[in-house]
Amino acid sequence: MGRRARDRRRQQQQQQRRERGGDGDGGGDQAVRAGAGRGGERQGRRADGGGVFQGWGGGYPEIVKENELFERYYRELGIVPAGEWGAFMAALREPLPATLRITGYRSHAKEILHCLKEKYFKELQNLEVDGQKVEMPQPLGWYPEELAWHTNLSRKILRKSPQLEKFHQFLVSETECGNISRQEAVSMIPPLLLNVNPHHKILDMCAAPGSKTAQLIEMLHADMNVPFPKGFVIANDVDNKRCYLLVHQAKRLNSPCIMVVNHDASSIPNLQIDVDGRKEVLFYDRILCDVPCSGDGTMRKNIDVWKKWTTQNSLQLHGLQLRIAIRGVEQLAEGGRMVYSTCSLNPIENEAVIASLLEKSQGALELADVSSELPGLKRMPGITKWKVMLKDGQWFEEWKDVPSNRQTQIRPTMFPVKDEEKLKAMNLERCLRILPHHQNTGGFFVAVLIKKSPMPWNKRQPKVHQKLPQRTGDTANSDNGSECVTEEPTLDENEESKKMQELQNSDTEQSKKEGVCGPPPSKKMKLFGFKEDPFVFLPEDDPLFLPIQKFYALDPSFPKMNLLTRTQEGKKRQLYMVSKELRNVLLNNSEKMKVINTGIKVWSRNSDGEQFGCAFRLAQEGIYTLYPFIHARIINVCIEDVKILLTQENPFLSKFSSETQKKVKDMAMGSIVLKYDPDPEKPDDLQCPIVLCGWQGKTSLRAFVPKNERLHYLRMMGVEVFKAKRKEEELESKPEEVVQHRLAQTEEGMEVEDKEHDLVTKMEAEIGEESSHSPVECSAMEVENKIEDLDQSSKNANSHVSPESKDMGTSNVKD
């Protein structure tokens, strides 16, 4: 049945209920009684359809928030403390609060927090939306340093309410910059419990859409003064399309230490790295295992779960979850930590998986006691007794009770361990379950596992180290704090397979010598849509690099061997950079990994750059990585200069401070670094450093910075950048003659300097200065607080921005 047909049928059923005289005595009354103590819930419900949420419910007025099987199942299991069932169900029927997290490693995290508290949050005081009073946002008490906040506003209200338009634009813009993440509160817990340090090698097994991955990247870059941490994150997802969403999320953080790969997590391949000339298996110090689940902890935001929930979902997922967890602990280093998590409350997906994993490990794994971590987080301990129920409501307490015709649906690993001593030794109570009504969140489950020794089925692997021939530049030191082993070939290999293996190895070695890390020529990969370009590292003697090194006076310590491109033939248009540890991984595993994306863009080819001494200009995306190695073409600017750079398209040099003009005077045209250092004696000014990519023209100076990043810096400096969309829409809706009159008035009021700006732009275009027509790093910027209506000049100035870039300004980033 199609969607429209279902909608029509639902409307007919509601009309029939109304004609029969109201609610009747069905589940609707029960829903009203369950939520009777909540003021917001009373306002959000209709009298004629109890349990139907119409107020702040995110646009699902047709879905009845009732599921008899769900209530029966969880009442019987007793995961909710006695006397709290009503509050638990009432919380599930309320919309999920909007939560946001400030990117903690950025030097201006404190500035963003100050801006939020002193500006945007204060504007929410005494505000009412749809008859609901907006509560003041509150910090999540258990998240460090007040870097995570929640409010009673739902995501739909944030998007649609005119009163909140300014706040919403702030959230969208800062999210695109990577300065904040709109992420569900409970989703923030697993990365915090991983206890990540900057030297850790991390695997995120089921990473998309990437909010947790972003947290892991932040932790790697805890010290902003270290451009290349020793650790890295390999973020994996089985869905090829979701991998690109993951790339988008990770790219916002501009890290050279992230790699996105596309594999089935339950069979993700063993990777190898070079350590002092030896090939060793890569074991991870930290693994995040956030597995696919039935998602009944997300009922507050995924309202479809109410009508679709059945125990069958958990029964079908249990096996996959266990396989992924087993694969995770196999790749975990001894002494390493793995966090297993789901957004489900069901013990079949949670305690049953952990208990089975612990039993199979034979003492190699133990549950960590994290009761003292994240103080302030309300949690319930894991349970030790549970039963299994089929979707028809039939219960089973032991595997022996399951009839043979049901043994394909129910497996022995779904039941609790019967041996009391074994059960006690597992310490399942160390797991934690987050219930929605305790802190107004979604439902969640987390278990933290420590690996004490190799898994029993891996113990027989011999510690064979294969000595590799030394190659200049191809060997990277690795932070090797774990036992590394390689598998010994089986004795029954025939001579033919050995020859094929040798041939394959020789091909691989040749590719590595050439620095090419392309996808293996596998038909299977092509079937699954894997069509990524190769990763080609720049050879040590590549003539491309010498003019770059000379032009920017790069430090001798600059790791040029970590530069790569995405093309084997033709002109190289972009140069990317990875850490040496990820380079090591790429060079040694290109034949077995499906790499979607890695590296950070550091230089872009300028079509006319040769005449300015260098064919490549700096990219803002990678400037914080490059800056520590650059010793030339750096201009220190004051805060007033920064405002001019960020609010004007291509300002004359005469507009800048005399100090800046002196520095620019004797500098050749081309790409430059613009650096702002805060003045401690001026506490009212911005108190965090800023590094911008710029371009020095013959008579002007401009910044090459993405629009949302411009808006961010301006906000931090106290410049109002908000412009209500409705003003533009109102202008567009006026009769044509009114619009022409308004535009004529605007043109008459244009300052002479704006007209001079148009002239200088044409002049510099004639002498070959690089155009700013880039969809990623657009230099056009409206001074949104100075001019209310769009004048023709600003329309022309912004015409180069691609539709994709414009969409980025208003798109909603998925949690």
Side-chain angles (χ1 to χ4, degrees):
M1 185 185 295
R3 179 179 175 183
R4 293 181 180 177
R6 288 197 301 271
D7 289 343
R8 285 197 299 269
R9 182 176 177 182
R10 202 177 290 120
Q11 290 171 1
Q12 290 170 0
Q13 290 172 345
Q14 288 187 344
Q15 182 64 31
Q16 290 170 1
R17 285 200 297 269
R18 285 195 289 270
E19 290 173 355
R20 287 198 298 267
D23 332 352
D25 57 354
D29 286 332
Q30 182 183 356
V32 173
R33 287 194 297 272
R38 315 290 292 208
E41 194 70 21
R42 286 196 302 270
Q43 292 184 18
R45 298 191 184 285
R46 286 192 329 201
D48 65 339
V52 179
F53 190 80
Q54 278 211 314
W56 290 22
Y60 295 90
E62 301 293 343
I63 295 178
V64 178
K65 294 184 179 179
E66 290 293 332
N67 189 306
E68 184 182 348
L69 190 66
F70 173 87
E71 293 197 40
R72 178 183 165 195
Y73 182 71
Y74 281 115
R75 274 184 184 273
E76 181 70 23
L77 290 180
I79 66 165
V80 179
E84 297 183 18
W85 183 258
F88 168 73
M89 291 303 298
L92 285 178
R93 293 187 177 103
E94 290 181 353
L96 192 67
T99 49
L100 61 91
R101 178 176 55 79
I102 300 170
T103 302
Y105 79 91
R106 296 287 174 87
S107 57
H108 43 267
K110 290 182 180 178
E111 300 286 340
I112 298 172
L113 180 59
H114 178 77
C115 182
L116 272 171
K117 292 166 76 172
E118 299 302 318
K119 179 177 172 60
Y120 292 98
F121 289 167
K122 283 188 175 179
E123 292 176 1
L124 300 179
Q125 285 181 338
N126 304 318
L127 186 65
E128 285 193 6
V129 179
D130 291 354
Q132 289 269 37
K133 184 178 179 181
V134 176
E135 297 173 5
M136 281 295 291
Q138 299 294 324
L140 297 178
W142 45 268
Y143 201 96
E145 301 180 37
E146 283 195 341
L147 291 178
W149 292 71
H150 73 99
T151 171
N152 68 330
L153 295 167
S154 71
R155 296 187 64 164
K156 183 194 175 186
I157 291 296
L158 275 173
R159 288 195 301 267
K160 302 298 183 184
S161 172
Q163 301 102 303
L164 299 169
E165 187 178 354
K166 188 184 236 181
F167 185 38
H168 181 245
Q169 283 191 20
F170 166 82
L171 293 178
V172 169
S173 179
E174 293 295 321
T175 298
E176 284 298 325
C177 292
N179 295 318
I180 65 171
S181 293
R182 284 179 284 169
Q183 180 180 357
E184 190 177 344
V186 289
S187 171
M188 304 174 192
I189 297 171
L192 291 176
L193 292 178
L194 269 178
N195 290 350
V196 170
N197 289 319
H199 66 276
H200 283 151
K201 304 183 237 352
I202 307 165
L203 173 64
D204 190 350
M205 300 189 74
C206 309
S211 54
K212 299 180 187 70
T213 310
Q215 274 181 278
L216 298 174
I217 297 171
E218 289 176 37
M219 294 170 185
L220 280 184
H221 291 274
D223 186 353
M224 274 288 285
N225 296 318
V226 180
F228 293 100
K230 288 186 177 179
F232 56 78
V233 177
I234 294 180
N236 173 72
D237 202 85
V238 67
D239 189 315
N240 186 268
K241 291 180 180 178
R242 282 167 62 88
C243 281
Y244 292 95
L245 179 60
L246 178 56
V247 169
H248 173 71
Q249 287 277 58
K251 282 288 185 184
R252 298 181 305 123
L253 296 179
N254 298 333
S255 170
C257 304
I258 170 73
M259 179 189 293
V260 176
V261 298
N262 177 208
H263 289 279
D264 178 355
S266 64
S267 58
I268 193 167
N270 282 327
L271 303 184
Q272 294 180 324
I273 53 175
D274 288 358
V275 180
D276 298 327
R278 297 191 307 270
K279 182 179 285 189
E280 297 185 351
V281 174
L282 171 62
F283 288 97
Y284 300 94
D285 303 299
R286 298 289 186 267
I287 294 180
L288 179 57
C289 186
D290 187 53
V291 296
C293 64
S294 62
D296 57 21
T298 69
M299 282 179 157
R300 300 181 68 178
K301 68 174 183 178
N302 298 327
I303 308 182
D304 278 350
V305 177
W306 282 96
K307 62 179 181 180
K308 294 179 179 178
W309 188 91
T310 170
T311 55
Q312 192 66 23
N313 298 335
S314 297
L315 300 179
Q316 290 173 343
L317 285 165
H318 170 87
L320 173 64
Q321 292 162 340
L322 182 56
R323 290 196 302 275
I324 293 175
I326 289 173
R327 190 66 187 128
V329 295
E330 284 177 345
Q331 301 205 3
L332 187 64
E334 288 183 52
R337 177 178 280 215
M338 184 176 92
V339 169
Y340 175 91
S341 61
T342 74
C343 49
S344 168
L345 301 172
N346 200 323
I348 305 301
E349 303 176 64
N350 298 325
E351 284 92 346
V353 173
I354 297 300
S356 179
L357 190 60
L358 291 170
E359 189 173 26
K360 290 176 186 294
S361 77
Q362 298 177 18
L365 300 172
E366 71 171 3
L367 274 170
D369 183 359
V370 293
S371 57
S372 61
E373 299 184 34
L374 304 184
L377 176 65
K378 294 181 181 177
R379 63 197 92 183
M380 295 296 297
I383 61 176
T384 57
K385 302 292 182 185
W386 62 88
K387 297 186 290 184
V388 180
M389 186 175 80
L390 291 172
K391 64 179 179 180
D392 61 6
Q394 186 178 3
W395 288 98
F396 299 99
E397 294 194 24
E398 296 183 56
W399 167 247
K400 65 180 184 180
D401 299 332
V402 180
S404 57
N405 64 335
R406 296 292 191 182
Q407 290 182 3
T408 54
Q409 295 174 278
I410 300 177
R411 305 302 302 155
T413 53
M414 297 178 182
F415 293 90
V417 176
K418 290 300 179 184
D419 188 318
E420 290 296 329
E421 281 192 23
K422 276 188 179 180
L423 189 62
K424 186 176 180 180
M426 287 179 177
N427 296 310
L428 288 179
E429 68 281 353
R430 291 181 178 177
C431 301
L432 43 138
R433 182 177 275 102
I434 312 298
L435 298 180
H437 63 292
H438 283 167
Q439 285 180 302
N440 197 15
T441 64
F444 214 71
F445 175 88
V446 186
V448 182
L449 293 154
I450 305 293
K451 187 173 181 179
K452 299 164 65 178
S453 61
M455 303 305 291
W457 52 91
N458 293 137
K459 282 183 178 177
R460 306 181 88 177
Q461 288 182 334
K463 298 179 182 178
V464 176
H465 296 291
Q466 180 181 350
K467 192 73 176 177
L468 297 175
Q470 284 283 8
R471 295 187 306 275
T472 304
D474 274 1
T475 302
N477 293 327
S478 174
D479 182 53
N480 185 33
S482 61
E483 181 184 21
C484 295
V485 298
T486 59
E487 295 181 9
E488 187 177 20
T490 55
L491 296 175
D492 59 349
E493 277 185 324
N494 57 43
E495 290 300 318
E496 184 180 353
S497 64
K498 284 183 178 179
K499 288 178 182 179
M500 290 182 66
Q501 185 66 38
E502 289 172 4
L503 183 62
Q504 184 179 357
N505 289 342
S506 65
D507 291 342
T508 301
E509 289 298 313
Q510 183 61 34
S511 293
K512 281 157 52 178
K513 286 178 182 176
E514 295 171 358
V516 180
C517 305
S522 166
K523 292 181 180 179
K524 185 176 181 182
M525 287 184 182
K526 290 180 181 177
L527 287 174
F528 284 90
F530 185 71
K531 300 175 183 177
E532 288 299 316
D533 294 326
F535 295 84
V536 185
F537 284 93
L538 246 61
E540 192 171 6
D541 57 350
D542 195 311
L544 196 72
F545 182 71
L546 191 60
I548 295 175
Q549 186 178 35
K550 184 178 179 181
F551 190 72
Y552 297 102
L554 295 179
D555 193 90
S557 66
F558 178 75
K560 61 182 179 181
M561 295 297 291
N562 298 348
L563 287 173
L564 61 87
T565 64
R566 297 301 303 272
T567 178
Q568 240 178 306
E569 300 175 356
K571 186 176 279 190
K572 300 174 177 65
R573 299 198 173 276
Q574 313 285 353
L575 294 182
Y576 301 88
M577 201 161 193
V578 294
S579 65
K580 67 177 181 180
E581 286 76 17
L582 274 188
R583 180 181 189 275
N584 193 345
V585 173
L586 270 171
L587 284 173
N588 287 284
N589 300 281
S590 62
E591 74 280 1
K592 62 175 70 172
M593 277 198 312
K594 296 195 287 183
V595 180
I596 299 297
N597 197 280
T598 191
I600 179 174
K601 184 168 69 175
V602 287
W603 279 290
S604 294
R605 182 178 288 276
N606 173 16
S607 56
D608 299 312
E610 287 85 352
Q611 63 180 297
F612 303 120
C614 181
F616 287 86
R617 68 172 177 85
L618 297 163
Q620 182 67 26
E621 183 180 322
I623 191 60
Y624 284 96
T625 300
L626 274 186
Y627 175 74
F629 300 100
I630 297 175
H631 295 310
R633 306 195 61 77
I634 299 174
I635 299 175
N636 289 91
V637 292
C638 64
I639 195 165
E640 294 305 321
D641 288 342
V642 176
K643 289 178 182 178
I644 292 171
L645 286 163
L646 297 179
T647 57
Q648 297 187 32
E649 165 75 16
N650 196 15
F652 282 116
L653 292 173
S654 58
K655 293 186 179 181
F656 294 94
S657 65
S658 57
E659 292 82 2
T660 299
Q661 292 183 47
K662 288 177 185 176
K663 294 170 187 172
V664 173
K665 185 177 180 182
D666 299 324
M667 193 176 289
M669 292 172 61
S671 185
I672 55 173
V673 177
L674 299 156
K675 176 74 185 298
Y676 164 75
D677 288 307
D679 186 350
E681 296 181 2
K682 297 179 181 179
D684 292 336
D685 286 350
L686 184 65
Q687 290 300 302
C688 67
I690 297 176
V691 182
L692 305 176
C693 290
W695 183 273
Q696 181 194 342
K698 192 173 183 180
T699 58
S700 66
L701 200 62
R702 68 169 69 173
F704 280 97
V705 182
K707 179 180 177 182
N708 284 318
E709 199 164 336
R710 287 171 175 257
L711 297 179
H712 160 72
Y713 289 129
L714 289 170
R715 285 191 196 97
M716 297 304 103
M717 291 184 289
V719 178
E720 178 60 65
V721 295
F722 170 74
K723 175 185 280 188
K725 296 177 190 173
R726 56 184 177 278
K727 290 180 181 177
E728 297 177 19
E729 292 167 358
E730 179 184 344
L731 179 62
E732 291 172 1
S733 65
K734 289 180 179 292
E736 185 176 349
E737 60 273 14
V738 177
V739 174
Q740 293 299 326
H741 176 66
R742 295 286 295 279
L743 290 175
Q745 287 181 324
T746 304
E747 288 176 355
E748 288 175 6
M750 286 175 64
E751 297 178 358
V752 176
E753 63 182 19
D754 291 327
K755 294 180 180 178
E756 290 175 344
H757 151 265
D758 291 338
L759 180 61
V760 77
T761 303
K762 293 178 182 178
M763 288 172 59
E764 293 186 338
E766 290 173 0
I767 65 169
E769 183 169 356
E770 183 190 21
S771 169
S772 62
H773 295 202
S774 165
V776 179
E777 293 182 345
C778 52
S779 61
M781 165 65 196
E782 302 172 72
V783 190
E784 294 180 294
N785 63 311
K786 291 183 179 180
I787 185 163
E788 190 170 288
D789 300 315
L790 290 173
D791 57 68
Q792 194 63 47
S793 176
S794 68
K795 283 183 178 178
N796 292 337
N798 283 290
S799 63
H800 69 271
V801 183
S802 72
E804 291 82 4
S805 296
K806 292 179 180 177
D807 290 341
M808 284 172 69
T810 56
S811 64
N812 184 29
V813 178
K814 184 178 176 183
D815 284 344

